[in-house]
Amino acid sequence: MTGIAVKGLSKRWGETFAVRDVSFSVEPGSFAVLLGPSGCGKSTLLRLISGLETASAGSIEIGSKDVTARPPAERDLAMVFQSYALFPHLSVAENILFGLKVRKTSKPEQADRLAHVADLLGLSGLLERRPSQLSGGQQQRVALGRAIIAEKPICLMDEPLSNLDAKLRHEMRVEIRALQRKLGMTMLYVTHDQAEAMGMANRIILLKDGAIEQDATPAETYGRPATSFAGRFIGTPPMNVLALSWESGGLRIKGTGTALLNGIPETALTAGIRPEDIALDAASPHRAQVETIEYLGADTLIDCRIGNERLTVRARSADGLAPGAEIGLSWPRTALHLFDAASGTRRDDLLNGAGG
Ligand code: ADP
């Protein structure tokens, strides 16, 4: 199996860096996701690795071989794009076989591989159809088929599910993950959808403004976000990030009279608390006013004001509450995340010495 290692990779257009000094590796046979908001450099990074763009600086290794200066054809990888780019005048079978025909693979081998891929993807009954006679999910499967029939050790995918509706996206997520495991492929997958990344990845490489914000497992990224940006990008609704004031050794949520933490040196900080870590607690000294209530079925989102700050609570129910009500809120000490107010960097070092 083959892995990918990227070192100090940058891509610049004029004065603007689309990718800035990025280093990471993808373990052989694992599923890594490049995640981040639109414009953060995900596609550029994938295009650099595939060889469709040339790097301004840095190196790319595929299977321990430096391919930085090699053309795409010598990188031994398959790629699936957001637009399926199927040929409308060719049948499903011809679309899937296109690459093998170009490479002049023998006819019996083509037939063998086609039967195998069609079987894997549930396309056996559709091989004679044209793309226009398929649903969105089926077209996506054909695009996948075209990528996996090449039997490359590495597959790069750029937002392959963004044209599908929510239910189908979920189904295809599960299918792609199962297929990747079954074939033992090394996968590098681009998305802006954190749920997709959380559900599929062994490792999430979170990008912001062309640089890596955090490179960790989904559980680490959720549980110990490296920055306030990572805290807000992962999880729905996003982590509450509250402005703090410092008064006589105590940190308070801005505009409140109750200390959040004591014994912290005076530093400009924000506090992160996930909506699902907050409990309604009538006896708590942390008082908030309910602003809006959104019933979602399995749970309810309660938007509140606490001091000068807004905060969302995810509760099982909001029975008996209405906008304007005063409520008490509590959270376990371990649910508090402290971040530097200016840089957004996580400050666990301060939490260790603090009192409750
Ligand atoms: P993402 O995939 O995360 O949405 P991209 O990699 O497409 O982001 O783009 C990253 C940044 O690089 C953006 O600011 C984008 O405008 C810029 N960019 C991408 N391609 C080019 C190009 N060919 N020329 C100039 N700037 C580009």
Side-chain angles (χ1 to χ4, degrees):
M1 283 196 281
T2 311
I4 305 172
V6 161
K7 289 182 196 136
L9 198 61
S10 294
K11 177 69 187 179
R12 210 162 46 119
W13 275 287
E15 290 305 298
T16 1
F17 277 89
V19 171
R20 187 190 296 268
D21 194 17
V22 164
S23 302
F24 66 86
S25 53
V26 183
E27 292 297 309
S30 73
F31 197 114
V33 170
L34 292 171
L35 175 70
S38 176
C40 72
K42 307 179 292 294
S43 299
T44 304
L45 202 41
L46 209 65
R47 291 171 60 81
L48 286 168
I49 294 170
S50 68
L52 295 172
E53 298 285 357
T54 45
S56 308
S59 69
I60 302 159
E61 281 179 19
I62 293 179
S64 320
K65 207 168 72 184
D66 191 321
V67 297
T68 318
R70 300 283 177 86
E74 289 177 30
R75 299 194 180 197
D76 211 22
L77 31 85
M79 220 172 152
V80 179
F81 296 96
Q82 177 175 354
S83 65
Y84 314 137
L86 302 179
F87 298 112
H89 58 289
L90 298 184
S91 68
V92 167
E94 288 165 333
N95 264 286
I96 295 177
L97 285 172
F98 191 81
L100 295 190
K101 284 197 171 140
V102 170
R103 266 172 267 134
K104 304 208 172 7
T105 310
S106 75
K107 282 264 153 60
E109 187 172 346
Q110 286 187 25
D112 272 1
R113 287 213 217 166
L114 177 63
H116 177 62
V117 166
D119 186 43
L120 265 179
L121 292 168
L123 290 170
S124 301
L126 304 172
L127 291 174
E128 296 315 314
R129 291 208 195 164
R130 297 259 186 273
S132 61
Q133 298 168 307
L134 301 176
S135 71
Q138 288 165 341
Q139 289 182 27
Q140 181 56 54
R141 278 195 201 108
V142 177
L144 281 177
R146 200 174 39 183
I148 63 176
I149 200 163
E151 298 182 354
K152 302 285 187 190
I154 295 182
C155 186
L156 309 181
M157 293 198 176
D158 193 355
E159 307 247 10
L161 306 183
S162 49
N163 296 330
L164 305 179
D165 64 44
K167 185 167 170 289
L168 205 52
R169 285 173 74 106
H170 181 74
E171 284 173 23
M172 289 302 295
R173 235 148 78 180
V174 175
E175 271 184 39
I176 290 177
R177 191 68 170 98
L179 201 63
Q180 177 267 337
R181 280 208 187 95
K182 194 163 175 177
L183 301 177
M185 276 185 298
T186 305
M187 181 76 84
L188 186 58
Y189 184 104
V190 161
T191 182
H192 64 273
D193 178 345
Q194 61 91 31
E196 219 165 88
M198 290 295 278
M200 295 175 97
N202 295 120
R203 214 163 176 86
I204 295 178
I205 300 152
L206 179 64
L207 295 167
K208 180 182 171 230
D209 301 332
I212 295 184
E213 191 81 357
Q214 186 162 14
D215 175 357
T217 63
E220 283 164 356
T221 315
Y222 176 82
R224 284 192 77 243
T227 62
S228 51
F229 171 83
R232 287 188 64 76
F233 203 83
I234 303 276
T236 42
M239 176 183 268
N240 297 294
V241 176
L242 308 169
L244 301 178
S245 60
W246 189 91
E247 280 167 54
S248 50
L251 275 181
R252 300 173 183 197
I253 298 171
K254 235 181 195 153
T256 67
T258 315
L260 189 67
L261 285 169
N262 287 306
I264 298 227
E266 186 168 3
T267 325
L269 296 169
T270 59
I273 316 177
R274 293 212 178 269
E276 52 274 34
D277 287 336
I278 305 174
L280 300 177
D281 175 359
S284 169
H286 298 290
R287 311 305 295 175
Q289 284 74 44
V290 175
E291 293 199 324
T292 57
I293 296 174
E294 190 185 358
Y295 174 69
L296 298 178
D299 46 28
T300 298
L301 301 181
I302 308 169
D303 284 327
C304 320
R305 184 162 287 281
I306 182 161
N308 299 344
E309 297 296 286
R310 315 266 316 255
L311 164 142
T312 302
V313 179
R314 184 176 199 157
R316 283 313 286 268
S317 93
D319 283 350
L321 288 184
E326 187 186 287
I327 52 176
L329 301 176
S330 65
W331 44 82
R333 167 68 190 274
T334 49
L336 269 186
H337 307 256
L338 281 188
F339 302 107
D340 183 273
S343 67
T345 310
R346 185 176 188 87
R347 293 294 308 267
D348 278 351
D349 55 315
L350 294 176
L351 270 176
N352 298 335

